[in-house]
Structure formats: C-alpha cells, structure tokens
Amino acid sequence: MSGRVLVGVKRVIDYAVKIRVKPDNSGVVTDGVKHSMNPFCEIAVEEAVKLKEKKLIKEVVAVSCGPQQAQETIRTALAMGADRGIHVQVTGKDYETLGPLQVSKILAALAKKEDAQLIILGKQAIDDDCNQTGQMTAALLDWPQGTFASEVSMEGDKLKVVREIDGGLEMIKINTPAVVSADLRLNTPRYATLPNIMKAKKKKIANVNPADLGVDLTSRVEILRVDEPPQRQAGVKVETVDDLVGKLKDTGRI
Amino acid sequence: MSKICRLCQAGWRSRSTSSAADMVSEQSGAMGISFPPLQTFSEEESMMREAVKKYAQERIAPFVSKMDENSAMDEEVLKSLFEQGLMGIEIDPEYGGTGSTFFSSILVIEELAKVDPSVSVLCDIQNTLINTLISNLGTPAQKEQYLTRLSTDMIGSFCLSEAESGSDAFALKTRADKHKDYYIINGSKMWISNAEHAGVFLVMANVDPSAGYRGITCFIVDGDTEGLEICKKENKLGLRASSTCPLNFDNVKVPEKNILGQIGHGYKYAIGMLNEGRIGIAAQMLGLAQGCFDHAIPYTRQRVQFGKRIFDFQGMQHQIAHVATQIEAARLLTYNAARLKEAGRPFIKEACMAKYFAAEVATLTTSKCIEWMGGVGFTKDYPIEKYYRDCKIGTIYEGTTNIQLSTMAKFIDKEYDH
C-alpha cells in the first residue's frame, strides 16, 4: 500500500464572477476574469489532507490539467496541505476542448504511474457541471467508486462512503484502490494560512505532458454555440381570480 | 526636532539625502533592469492577499457591526488572526512566525482594513511596531521569550504617548529609577492601543530626566507585572473595537534584562519604528477608503432616480472618478514607500507622504460615499457611516498630519542643501 492519494484540482472562473458570453457565442469570456480553485475540488483537497492528518494515508499529490496558470491552483492545494503537485500541461485548442473523458484518461494513467491508493475529486466543476470525471476515471481503472460523498472513513483496506442521493443518504463499503467524488457537505475547507503559503513555495510541482502518459486528447464533443439563458420576463398582476383564469386561457395554458 | 532628524539619519539608519529618483539612474543602465508597475506582486504576495481577503470576508465581516457597537474585539476574531499567521508575518519561522516580508504585512493590513480598520490596526501595531522592535533589537533570550508568543497567542502594546506628551513625545515624564539590577517605573501613559488584550507592553520611560530625551529607554513589561494598571478604555468616535486605554505605573519593578536595546537609545528606536509604522497606517487608511468605496459604488449602480442610475449622472461620475484617482494615488504612494524601505533605500519622506495623503483620501472618500448613498448612507444599517467615523483618527495617530508635513519640509529643505 503506497498510502498515496491523488487529488484533482481544476482552475475555474471564480464563483462570484458574473459570467458573460463571448460576442461570437463560441464560449464565455475568460480573459482578465478572476479564476480560482473549483469549490468542490477544495473540499476534495481538504478531505485528503484530513486523512493524512489522521495518519490513514501518507502522501497527498495535487494534480491539475491546463496551461501555465494551472500552477496557481496547484500552489493553493499545496498551501492547504498537499505534499507535492503534478501539472499536466494542456494548452491552446487542446485546452479549449478538454473534457471529462480526456481528464479521466490522464488521471487513470497518473494513478497507475504514481501507484495511488485513492483518488479524490470534486463531484463536478462549476463551469461545465459535467459530474463525469470521477465516474469515468473509476471505469477506466476498473476501480470501485463512491460518488457524492458526504462522509468518508477508512476501515482497514476498505472505504466506507456515505453518499447523498435523491432519496436521502446511502452508505456503501468499497474496496481500495477507489475513486471518491466530494459533495458539498463532506467538510469545510480550511483557509491557506500565511505560514502554509510560505511553506508551499518549497514544495515541488512536476511538469508532465499528456503524450508522455500515452493519452490522446482528441475530443469527441464539438461545442456549436453558447447562449445566455433567456432573460426572465416580468410577471403580470391581475385583480381577480376570473382575470387570472382568463389570462391562463388566453396564453393557452389551460 | 531638526537635531533629532539629523541624529536619526546619522545614527539609527545612515542614509544619504539624495532623492529616490537619483538612485534609480545609478543602478540601471548596463544591468538592463525592467521596471514593472508598482502594482506588481510576487506569487507569494498575491496568494497571501487572496487568502486574507477570503478569511476577512468570512471570519471578520460578520462581527464588524457588533464589535463596533459593543466597543469590543471579538475573542474568536482575535484567535483566528493568530491561527491564520497574521500576527507574526515577518517573524522567523524558527519562532513560529510566517517568515514573510514587510510588503506582505502592508498587503495584509490593507486587506483587513477593507473589512474592519479596527482589526487592521491591531494587526498593524503587532507586526510593524512590536514584532519589528523585538526582532531587530532583542537579545537572543528576549527573542526566545517573546517572539514565539507574539506569533502564536500574545498581543503587544507600544507605550509612548502620555497625557502631557503626544506630538512632543520626548517630553514624556514616565520615569524608570535604577536599583541594583532592576528599575522601578512610575508614571502613566495614554492612548495605548490593544491595551485591553495585550500580554506584553513596550514602555518608553526616562532613566535620567536631566539628560532630556537621551534618557529615554525602552522596557519590556509583562502584562501581569504588579503595579501595572490598565484603566478603563476610551469611548471613541471610531476604531471602537480597538481598545485604547490609559495605563498607570505604580512602582512597577522591571528587571534590567528587560531593557530592549540600549539605555538612553529609546528615542531613536521610537522614531525609527514610527517611520515604518507610518507606512502601515497608510495601508490601513488605503484599505479603509477602498473598502468604503467598494460598498458605495454598487449602490450607485443600482439606485435609479429620474429614470436613470444615479451613477449615470455626470456630476456623480466626475466625483466618483476624482475619488478613485485619489485612492489610486494613495495606493501608489503607500506601495512605493514600502518597496523603498524593503530595498534599504531612504524612505522617511515618502512614508510621511503616504500616511498624510492616505489619511486625507480616507476622509474625502468616506465623506463622499455617505453623500452618494444619500439617506441610507447616514444610517447604521449600512456600513458606510462606520468607515466615516473610523477614518478620522488617520490624520491624528502615529504622527499627526502637521507633524508629517513638517517632517517632509525638513527633508525637502535638505535636498536643496548642495
């Protein structure tokens, strides 16, 4: 057992920013816009660091796929307590079309290379809301998966995961190595304290090419058009119930 | 005061009187140095600023109003300041500090002030006055004893002013009389910030009044020393959450080993530290102005009168742009003074300019923001009126505006000496 955990961290547009669609409808404006670590990825990092503090695992490795700026996101993970980082360099057109399938192939290759015991990811990213990477990574590795985790505990070499599902909570026990995807209530991520930010400077970030991992980044998905959601129309007030019924009939609702 | 000025130039920090601009042309040329804008930060500085911004929004903002009303700092806020490593920014990690730079302290102070200037001043005094004095002047034993505690759980207070000596600091009357291997301190201090929560006090007392200011010595006095009385805190207009108390010293016994630095050199240390502390206050006033501005502008973009946003009226736009320019200028003065100090270059005149200007800008900004918000700006339901009350002290403490101006004038006079 290597005792090593891989945590995926994605650089996304900050949750507080007002999103604007590019004039050519090819995507959203990202230039000069504030970016930060995906909130669910923060929760994933926190869980990994907690497991290390409980001495259940030995090393936390933060992974991010993207251009040079992805290193900032990895540094934040290091400042939260990850031990080292891996920056998988993806730029230009490849980065624009990078999706869960490509990322999960990368993570699967890294998991084998690093002999990881556990992969923790955020359940989804707040930019594409795909909610696929965790599941695909597990399938590619043929590992068990505990998705939408709101509680994770290790019992020997098994993992007990409490999942948030539509009907409530489901508890499963899975073998390791496994993939876990973090849901909102799993934990409250710590702040990067100033001393930890200083310590993070000394931690290593390795640079890797997807080609070196034998991963083909070709996308099977082509984005045709991006539009803003329709503007919300103002409502209409009516005086009486009869008026209401009349209006509903007029607009063909009843 | 001019004699002191020359002394502090010669003794405490030797520096030439050539202006900052001259030094740049000496260093560049063949070395091909690039000149990035002042608002360029190292990755570490950017990360720290982001971390503090987030922490201040989530862990301090919810308490600001209550702390102001009760005139009391929240215990949880105090604890979290230490936990985040904000109280020992420049202290060496060997003593549990963050081991970062003066500029990082300035950024932290600015970010905190955007949310609460009272919390910011607590952090400023700890970092720029207390920690710096002990780090620079302390014996290994003193550093061992105090720096770790200052990084992790103990607040310090700097005691110079008295009822009869504010700007005329060296006229202080608190005495320290020598007996064998200890001193007995008698007197009183006034306007001491952080006093309510401080565990250690750096007290300026005179060991030899016949020698005038050359008798002033800095003593490290532990908070639990017998005879040290922390009196009732002042009921202030602003910065209410920061405790400001008179102190009484009634035969307070302090061992000789608790003298910080050399006997009779206290006046130099005070001036030296206040030169740096000045940049900290500039950062606080800057953050205050920016924080206030950031609250007011969204309102002007939302509020509609006469069929358009009040932001869209030309009169408003001109006022807003003017204030934004003043804030930017204050920012550049502050950052530049901080970078000059870090580079080991002359910075006193620039530090005075930064503090003086930032305090004036804070006053202008807060006053205008209340006007822009109209009636709601005048109520306590909105945070603007607190910034307005908080800013006034900026032109008064750590060197009044008039003192800053006089100091600057002396430097300007010297510049034309050759």
Side-chain angles (χ1 to χ4, degrees), chain A residues 34 75 191 193-194 198 201, chain B residues 43-44 58 84 98-99:
Chain A
K34 180 160 187 247
R75 281 264 174 246
Y191 297 101
T193 65
L194 265 47
M198 294 297 289
K201 284 200 317 185
Chain B
E43 195 189 340
E44 157 195 334
E58 293 173 19
Q84 294 299 307
T98 298

Side-chain angles (χ1 to χ4, degrees), chain A residues 91-98:
Chain A
T91 55
K93 204 79 186 64
D94 283 337
Y95 182 61
E96 281 170 38
T97 56
L98 192 69

